[in-house]
Amino acid sequence: MTVPKNAAKVLIVEDESIVALDMEQQLRSFGYIVVACASTGQQAINLVREMAPDVVLMDIQLVGEMDGIAAAKIIGADLHTPVVFITSFDAKEIIDRAKLSQPYGFILKPFTARELPLIIDMAIYKHQAETKLRHSMEQLQTLSRRVLQVQESERRRIAIELHDELGQSLTAIKINLQSAELFKDQNPAELNAENIRIVEDAIQQIRRISLALRPSMLDDLGLASAIRWLADQTATRTGLDVRFQFAPQAVRFLPEIETACFRIVQEALTNIAKYANADEVLIELRHDGEHLHLGVADNGQGFDTAVMQKNATQGKSIGILGMQERAMLIGGKLTIDSAIGQGCQITLQCPLELVLPT
């Protein structure tokens, strides 16, 4: 377990002051931080909001209109704080009602000194794991919604390009062919030359659309060549000074790794061009036989990473979520380091289970 006792903050909810004082002394002796002691359910709720403890030790029987079970329901459901019940009552009807508040544990009085830290640590550990899982599920749901939106947007863009560019070229060829039948005195050589030119333009349009969807060199020549092409394209289009450092080696990575790395670099360069206000970008790619290391750094204006993560969770930054999702799918770890005025560094490290020779 990764819960350091001296960092765990505990709220005691017990209406018997002598019992509460004894529990507080025991917890302090174990290295826990007792943030406060409450004697009523409403007071406990108010203190959780104010003190943000890591766990609440809750007596079931409390003075006042609200007992420990009712308070625990609010603390768990609304404030997302784990509750451990401490009670001398083991009647089935009380335990069954207590279960409805989804507590993180029970301790029956009188308890031994060894029970208390064990139950607390398990409750905090379980809550941390569930919180991570909940955040991951929220991010996944947000990403799924945004992926569908982006998918439809991309389909719409491709449909417009096919209609406006390729469709117009084919229409022009059709008109020329009809003209050859209607106006037999028109020079056939000129019509053929015009048709050939239009077909060549259409071919270039198809190639451009195809490259935008997936560059063929990623499959034919590998990750390094595809990133170098992407860097050159970005530099030409945006005016950024994009440098790519890679030690040439006669290896090919697994297709899923190459695709994920290429898309991460592509998204990073797009974000830099849109938001970073940078003029230099450095892309690095290397591997040590066991791990692949990919980095994209810029000298732009930077940003607050906490705000960025919040926006990503809320669906306001689909690019960040997409990069994190791609890294996760190949067993990698993506880190984003940035600060206001200090540029940004995106780093990917993923295991190489197999490297294919070229």
Side-chain angles (χ1 to χ4, degrees), residues 307-351:
V307 174
M308 176 272 297
Q309 289 290 353
K310 181 179 179 180
N311 290 339
T313 303
Q314 295 175 348
K316 299 177 182 178
S317 180
I318 183 64
I320 298 297
L321 280 181
M323 288 191 288
Q324 292 174 336
E325 180 74 7
R326 289 185 184 278
M328 184 187 70
L329 290 175
I330 58 174
K333 179 181 179 181
L334 185 81
T335 57
I336 301 176
D337 297 315
S338 183
I340 302 297
Q342 298 183 20
C344 177
Q345 169 77 48
I346 297 174
T347 306
L348 169 69
Q349 178 177 301
C350 71

Side-chain angles (χ1 to χ4, degrees), residues 84-99:
V84 174
F85 284 125
I86 299 179
T87 181
S88 57
F89 298 90
D90 59 355
K92 185 177 185 302
E93 60 271 17
I94 294 178
I95 299 300
D96 287 344
R97 191 166 75 88
K99 287 179 180 178

Side-chain angles (χ1 to χ4, degrees), residues 40 120 126 163 235 271 283 330:
T40 68
I120 290 174
K126 181 182 177 183
H163 177 271
N271 289 341
I283 306 171
I330 58 174

